């Protein structure tokens, strides 16, 4: 048996105690004698002066700070995991039901800060499929949102989810499109999801990070710290992925130039039509609406908001038309429809409707909405809430197309 003791000796020594012996304990600052058996190996401290000097050096303090910072980050990451991944109020059964996994509702009143989450939820409302939201924070195996569960089967990626629902449930918004229109829809979708998305993400998570941080909904202990960590973490991810994509290698001005070109392209393609492919909805409308929604409602005072509520007003009317029809509980201030430099937005929160069906809620809400006819006068230009002919966007949209959704079920 061995004891290693650092004693104040001038040289190293080994005391072999084959038998129990009495050893003076003066080394320990006492005159008492202690019995020991075995071996005592003593090392002089002056041979290890490097250790003592390191304890007092700047490098040791830096390492201590690094360890402390790492511990704090680890604690924050654990809390974030608890809030976003473990938090689950109830287990949702996906038997004969669509469970939509997506990010939590933001505090700004919009349904989501993610264009892809908003796209899929809007699509489910367009085809009138009941669904249940799950905000448990669980990502898909690809590390993305949104994804769905149906009959205990998991499906990932908005394009694959829409194809799955079409094949399994027989719902599609594209049945009436020609091959040329389907090709145009796909081209528009890819322009938005593979190009325009990165410009709007840059505006949301890099250029307007401080405003976006205020919109995040994080509850629990250290919510302010977790909100700051989450927003800056996501900002770093966006910048890194933009650089890998290639668009992040351009200057901010060049990124906004690319954004403006995409928005002008959409405005030209839309023209004075109700929807991208004409008078009837198609899947591409869910994509366009969800990618333009940040410019309309979550980027106050930004360049895309100035553009969509100013020169490209037909895109703003298009977004408002879809919001009014499929998001009756999403309240916005109509005075904010046109852009001005002063932003005054309420912190209204979109309620969690649970199992949502447009048939049950949207039509009831719309039936209670009074309709007012507008008679245009030659002296007054059309208002932002009317189409180029001066007729109300809300009246024409709400009344004439209810049968369009019902036709999908035939």
């Amino acid at each position: 048996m061995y004891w290693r003791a650092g004693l104040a000796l001038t040289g190293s020594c080994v005391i072999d105690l084959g038998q129990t012996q009495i050893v003076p304990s003066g080394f320990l600052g006492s005159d008492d004698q202690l019995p020991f058996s075995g071996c005592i190996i003593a090392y002089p401290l002056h041979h290890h002066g490097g250790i003592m000097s390191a304890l007092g050096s700047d490098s040791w303090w830096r390492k201590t700070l690094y360890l402390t910072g790492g511990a704090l980050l680890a604690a924050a990451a654990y809390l974030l995991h608890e809030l976003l991944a473990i938090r689950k109020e109830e287990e949702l059964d996906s038997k004969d039901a669509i469970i939509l996994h997506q990010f939590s509702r933001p505090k700004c009143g919009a349904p989501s800060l993610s264009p892809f989450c908003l796209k899929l939820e809007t699509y489910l409302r367009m085809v009138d499929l009941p669904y249940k939201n799950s905000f448990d924070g669980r990502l898909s195996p690809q590390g993305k949102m949104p994804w769905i569960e149906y009959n205990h089967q998991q499906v990932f990626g908005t394009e694959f989810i829409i194809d799955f629902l079409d094949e399994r449930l027989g719902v599609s918004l594209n049945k009436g499109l020609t091959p040329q229109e389907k090709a145009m829809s796909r081209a528009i979708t890819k322009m938005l999801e593979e190009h325009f998305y990165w410009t709007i993400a840059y505006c949301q998570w890099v250029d307007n990070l401080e405003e976006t941080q205020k919109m995040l909904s994080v509850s629990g202990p250290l919510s302010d710290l977790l909100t700051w960590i989450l927003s800056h973490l996501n900002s770093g991810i966006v910048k890194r992925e933009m650089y890998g994509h290639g668009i992040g290698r351009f200057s901010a001005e060049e990124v906004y130039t690319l954004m403006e070109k995409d928005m002008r392209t959409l405005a030209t393609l839309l023209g004075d039509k109700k929807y991208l492919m004409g008078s009837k909805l198609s899947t591409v409308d869910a994509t366009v609406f969800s990618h333009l929604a940040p410019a309309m409602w979550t980027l106050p005072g930004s360049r895309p908001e100035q553009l969509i509520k100013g020169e490209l007003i037909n895109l703003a009317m298009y977004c408002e038309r879809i919001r009014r029809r499929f998001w009756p509980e999403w309240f916005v201030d109509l005075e904010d429809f046109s852009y001005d430099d002063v932003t005054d937005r309420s912190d209204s929160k979109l309620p969690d409707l649970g199992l949502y069906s447009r048939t049950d809620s949207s039509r009831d809400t719309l039936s209670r909405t009074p309709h007012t006819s507008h008679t245009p006068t030659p002296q007054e230009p059309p208002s932002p809430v009317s189409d180029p002919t001066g007729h109300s966007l809300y009246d024409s949209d709400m009344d004439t197309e209810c049968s369009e959704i019902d036709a999908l079920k035939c």
Side-chain angles (χ1 to χ4, degrees):
M1 191 173 195
Y2 295 87
W3 289 271
R4 295 180 181 268
L7 304 178
L9 301 174
T10 57
S12 61
C13 69
V14 177
I15 304 174
D16 186 5
L17 303 176
Q19 302 291 333
T20 301
Q21 300 184 23
I22 301 299
V23 179
S25 59
F27 297 122
L28 305 177
S30 171
D31 293 333
D32 298 334
Q33 294 182 336
L34 301 175
F36 288 97
S37 64
C39 293
I40 298 177
I41 303 175
Y43 299 96
L45 289 181
H46 69 80
H47 285 179
H48 301 275
I51 297 177
M52 297 302 293
S53 61
L55 292 177
S57 66
D58 293 339
S59 62
W60 183 83
W61 289 107
R62 284 198 297 270
K63 291 177 181 178
T64 302
L65 290 176
Y66 294 155
L67 290 174
T68 304
L72 290 175
L73 288 176
Y78 172 77
L79 289 174
L80 187 62
H81 179 268
E82 288 290 316
L83 291 172
L84 299 181
I86 302 300
R87 183 183 60 192
K88 203 171 186 181
E89 295 182 357
E90 60 181 357
E91 286 290 337
L92 302 178
D93 186 5
S94 64
K95 181 175 175 56
D96 296 326
I98 298 172
I99 309 301
L100 174 58
H101 296 265
Q102 62 169 315
F103 296 113
S104 300
R105 302 290 196 204
K107 294 189 291 186
C108 60
S112 180
L113 294 178
S114 166
F116 291 95
C117 292
L118 181 57
K119 167 191 173 180
L120 187 56
E121 189 169 5
T122 301
Y123 177 81
L124 291 173
R125 294 180 176 218
M126 285 180 171
V127 296
D128 199 16
L129 286 177
Y131 63 95
K132 177 74 175 181
N133 274 313
S134 176
F135 303 113
D136 59 5
R138 285 192 295 157
L139 302 177
S140 71
Q142 296 83 11
K144 295 180 178 295
M145 286 281 200
W147 57 282
I148 69 165
E149 292 179 272
Y150 179 74
N151 279 339
H152 306 292
Q153 182 177 353
Q154 298 179 349
V155 189
F156 318 106
T158 56
E159 182 173 353
F160 296 112
I161 292 172
I162 291 173
D163 291 343
F164 170 83
L165 295 175
D166 184 9
E167 178 183 349
R168 185 63 62 90
L169 302 177
V171 294
S172 176
L173 294 174
N174 294 340
K175 290 180 179 178
L177 299 184
T178 66
Q180 291 78 13
E181 289 173 331
K182 290 181 180 179
M184 177 64 73
S185 296
R186 182 165 181 80
I188 295 172
T189 298
K190 292 303 131 182
M191 179 188 73
L192 289 172
E193 295 183 350
E194 305 297 336
H195 190 266
F196 179 73
Y197 165 77
W198 294 109
T199 66
I200 209 74
Y202 174 84
C203 188
Q204 186 83 69
W205 293 100
V206 179
D207 212 16
N208 291 271
L209 179 60
E210 185 176 346
E211 288 297 321
T212 302
Q213 181 177 327
K214 299 175 184 177
M215 301 177 189
L216 298 181
S217 178
V218 178
S219 58
L222 303 177
S223 59
D224 291 340
L225 175 61
L226 293 179
T227 300
W228 186 91
I229 292 174
L230 180 61
S231 60
H232 283 77
L233 179 64
N234 200 59
S235 177
I237 293 173
V238 167
K239 287 189 284 188
R240 185 176 68 250
E241 293 188 350
M242 284 183 65
Y243 189 86
H245 176 278
I247 197 171
R249 307 183 187 213
F250 297 110
S251 66
E253 186 61 33
E254 289 170 329
V255 170
Y256 279 114
T257 297
L258 296 174
M259 172 192 288
E260 182 174 338
K261 287 183 177 181
D262 287 347
M263 293 180 69
R264 291 186 182 279
T265 299
L266 284 175
T268 301
L269 291 172
L270 177 63
D272 59 358
K273 302 191 298 291
K274 276 188 177 181
Y275 304 111
L276 263 295
M277 294 295 112
S279 61
K280 295 185 180 296
L281 282 167
S282 60
T283 303
V284 71
D285 291 300
T287 306
V288 175
F289 169 75
S290 63
H291 282 74
L292 290 178
M296 281 288 294
W297 295 294
T298 67
L299 287 170
S302 65
R303 290 177 61 173
E305 186 195 51
Q306 297 176 36
L307 192 60
I308 196 172
K309 295 181 179 179
E311 187 177 349
L312 306 181
I313 192 65
N314 66 327
L315 293 181
M317 294 191 297
Y318 167 84
C319 290
E320 181 64 11
R321 181 181 300 126
I322 293 178
R323 184 200 66 81
R324 289 274 302 198
R325 183 175 177 190
F326 297 105
W327 291 94
E329 76 278 23
W330 177 3
F331 299 104
V332 299
D333 185 0
L334 290 181
E335 293 182 358
D336 189 49
F337 192 83
S338 59
Y339 174 77
D340 57 38
D341 291 330
V342 180
T343 57
D344 182 16
R345 295 173 180 267
S346 62
D347 291 333
S348 61
K349 186 176 181 180
L350 192 73
D352 180 10
L353 298 182
L355 186 63
Y356 178 86
S357 172
R358 205 182 76 87
T359 302
D360 298 333
S361 59
S362 178
R363 291 180 184 173
D364 292 342
T365 303
L366 298 179
S367 64
R368 296 192 298 268
T369 303
H371 300 290
T372 306
S373 60
H374 298 271
T375 304
T377 59
Q379 291 80 10
E380 296 182 1
S383 68
V385 293
S386 62
D387 62 20
T389 65
H391 295 94
S392 169
L393 296 175
Y394 313 143
D395 296 344
S396 60
D397 291 340
M398 302 293 181
D399 295 338
T400 62
E401 297 185 10
C402 291
S403 59
E404 176 186 337
I405 302 300
D406 295 334
L408 296 171
K409 301 179 180 179
C410 300

